[in-house]
Amino acid sequence: MGTHSAADRSLFETLTCTRCGATHDHTTVQTVCQEPGCGRPLIARYALDELPRPAPGHDGTGAGPLWRFPELMPLTPGTDPVTLGEGGTPLLRARRLAAAAGLEELWLKDESGNPTGSFKARGLALAAIKAKELGAATIALPTAGNAGGAAAAYAARAGMGCAVVMPSDTPRVFKDEVVAFGGTLIEHEGLIDDCGKIVAERVAAEGWYDVSTLKEPYRVEGKKTMGIEIAEQLGWSLPDVVIYPTGGGTGLVGMWKAWAELEAVGWLGPARPRMFAVQASGCAPVVDAFVGGAERCERVEQAQTIAAGLRVPKPFADEWILAVLRKSGGGAVAVTDEQIAAGVERLARTEGIYAAPEVGATWAAVESLFERGDLAADERIVIVVTGSAYKYL
Ligand SMILES: *Cc1c(COP(=O)(O)O)cnc(C)c1O
């Protein structure tokens, strides 16, 4: 172990429950809150008082490795991070797309250049690091899309095994990718949450480390770095609006967490973007709950959409996602698969970015939010371009 790894600067202190606040030991394997009747997601807490202030100078690029700010990463001193060069992605001004829709200031946080082609790399990098640190031999997760390939790639890089349980009707490319990286693919008739049950059932017997979305506390720390990068790229300020294609919601709650931490250390003020979750009309549990004023989502029984990453019938962190949308003054919007396909084409032809269907959904959402008066023409809007379309070719 290196004597001066970036991990030595980590201010990681403990894990606490997002609902009841109970503290959990971060030096052992943790999943969800263990308090009786709770079972909600855990999050990492940092000794923020020790972070230098004011904010460091910025050059507007935000370029750098995932742990550009290792203070805010849940690393253990001496750890050698497992990395494939994830993070540090560009924030691109989209003038042509903005003009076409009558908007003034539109930005694309382009995650498509990440290893394995999506922002899942950020989360799975952290999951792999922590799994390795905690002595796991094999990580396991359910997925309907990009998370499987990312998990398998980082497991390979870390010298660990990877078991991926996928709905059998998942597009073939996502299955091939897992196998290519040496992962074990288990297909199952059902949706991602049914696959999650299989992981949960087999964890103990197989000795797996479960890295299901928000059922372990570290993937969200990786996704959080998008929020740090956006803030830095905008000169330590935030946009008025963020548009996010929401499946399990890790990136949405992760960015929100990042900004709270940056405000606590004085790098950001109290202003926050309005957060809009975008889903597909064939699977829109968050939209339904938001519109219905509910605190939790109802499971969508026949979830169907071409945007595989949005095919999550009931996100595990539904309460947390809905709380962020409401606190931010944002909302949730559903779009059809036809709108999604048109959005992909528009983005490719107008800005030269060939993005995943999930991203096509965000563009369709911007148009409909603008039409219904939820966005103003002069607002600064950021779309999270979560992944690339190249896998689909
Ligand atoms: C997984 C995924 C999403 C959804 O992300 P969550 O953090 O689960 O909400 C969106 N877009 C793409 C390309 C994905 O792979």
Side-chain angles (χ1 to χ4, degrees):
M1 294 279 162
T3 40
H4 289 293
S5 83
D8 297 349
R9 284 164 53 199
S10 172
L11 300 174
F12 184 31
E13 239 180 6
T14 189
L15 293 170
T16 62
C17 175
T18 47
R19 181 180 157 102
C20 74
T23 298
H24 290 64
D25 178 11
H26 69 281
T27 64
T28 60
V29 173
Q30 297 289 351
T31 53
V32 296
C33 182
Q34 297 302 308
E35 288 298 303
C38 189
R40 299 308 203 286
L42 299 176
I43 47 173
R45 297 280 182 197
Y46 299 84
L48 295 172
D49 309 349
E50 292 170 37
L51 203 67
R53 52 198 83 183
H58 58 89
D59 57 14
T61 64
L66 193 68
W67 25 85
R68 180 166 169 78
F69 300 105
E71 293 86 352
L72 295 173
M73 288 284 99
L75 304 172
T76 299
T79 297
D80 245 344
V82 179
T83 179
L84 288 165
E86 60 291 327
T89 61
L91 183 68
L92 304 169
R93 181 91 187 250
R95 293 181 199 278
R96 284 164 47 74
L97 200 53
L103 298 168
E104 276 169 33
E105 195 178 344
L106 183 69
W107 297 83
L108 306 173
K109 179 63 174 163
D110 185 8
E111 292 290 302
S112 63
N114 271 304
T116 69
S118 87
F119 75 150
K120 290 291 191 305
R122 294 183 189 259
L124 271 316
L126 259 293
I129 289 165
K130 297 307 287 187
K132 195 176 173 194
E133 227 181 75
L134 295 165
T138 301
I139 59 173
L141 79 170
T143 175
N146 283 308
Y154 282 93
R157 181 84 169 149
M160 290 186 298
C162 180
V164 178
V165 188
M166 259 189 211
S168 34
D169 60 352
T170 301
R172 168 100 193 256
V173 56
F174 296 118
K175 300 177 187 173
D176 291 349
E177 195 185 14
V178 169
V179 174
F181 288 122
T184 303
L185 176 68
I186 300 161
E187 297 188 46
H188 180 68
E189 297 279 334
L191 292 168
I192 185 173
D193 53 351
D194 302 312
C195 296
K197 282 179 202 142
I198 296 195
V199 171
E201 279 162 22
R202 292 180 58 174
V203 156
E206 310 273 358
W208 290 343
Y209 177 89
D210 186 350
V211 296
S212 301
T213 298
L214 293 162
K215 289 186 184 166
E216 60 74 56
Y218 301 114
R219 281 172 67 183
V220 70
E221 294 300 299
K223 292 265 185 96
K224 167 180 103 173
T225 57
M226 284 190 303
I228 301 176
E229 288 176 20
I230 289 170
E232 187 184 21
Q233 285 167 319
L234 294 174
W236 299 113
S237 71
L238 294 176
D240 299 306
V241 173
V242 170
I243 311 282
Y244 182 83
T246 305
T250 328
L252 185 99
V253 299
M255 289 189 285
W256 196 256
K257 181 176 189 286
W259 299 329
E261 289 167 357
L262 296 179
E263 184 185 355
V265 300
W267 293 12
L268 280 180
R272 291 287 181 280
R274 302 200 305 289
M275 306 294 285
F276 287 93
V278 181
Q279 301 203 293
S281 50
C283 181
V286 172
V287 179
D288 294 344
F290 184 86
V291 172
E295 274 174 41
R296 306 214 67 165
C297 294
E298 297 278 345
R299 184 173 193 268
V300 174
E301 297 302 330
Q302 304 291 333
Q304 222 16 288
T305 168
I306 55 167
L310 306 185
R311 203 166 162 229
V312 179
K314 184 187 189 312
F316 176 65
D318 50 359
E319 254 173 330
W320 190 4
I321 295 166
L322 287 159
V324 168
L325 297 179
R326 292 193 173 112
K327 255 186 257 168
S328 78
V333 56
V335 299
T336 65
D337 278 4
E338 292 71 40
Q339 288 178 296
I340 289 175
V344 168
E345 187 179 305
R346 175 52 83 90
L347 212 68
R349 295 186 177 198
T350 315
E351 296 290 354
I353 295 175
Y354 195 30
E358 292 82 349
V359 184
T362 63
W363 179 248
V366 166
E367 289 183 314
S368 87
L369 286 168
F370 188 41
E371 251 164 52
R372 72 187 203 199
D374 280 344
L375 301 179
D378 62 350
E379 289 188 299
R380 178 186 276 179
I381 300 164
V382 170
I383 290 178
V384 184
V385 177
T386 47
S388 161
Y390 285 95
K391 279 188 206 181
Y392 290 83
L393 292 178

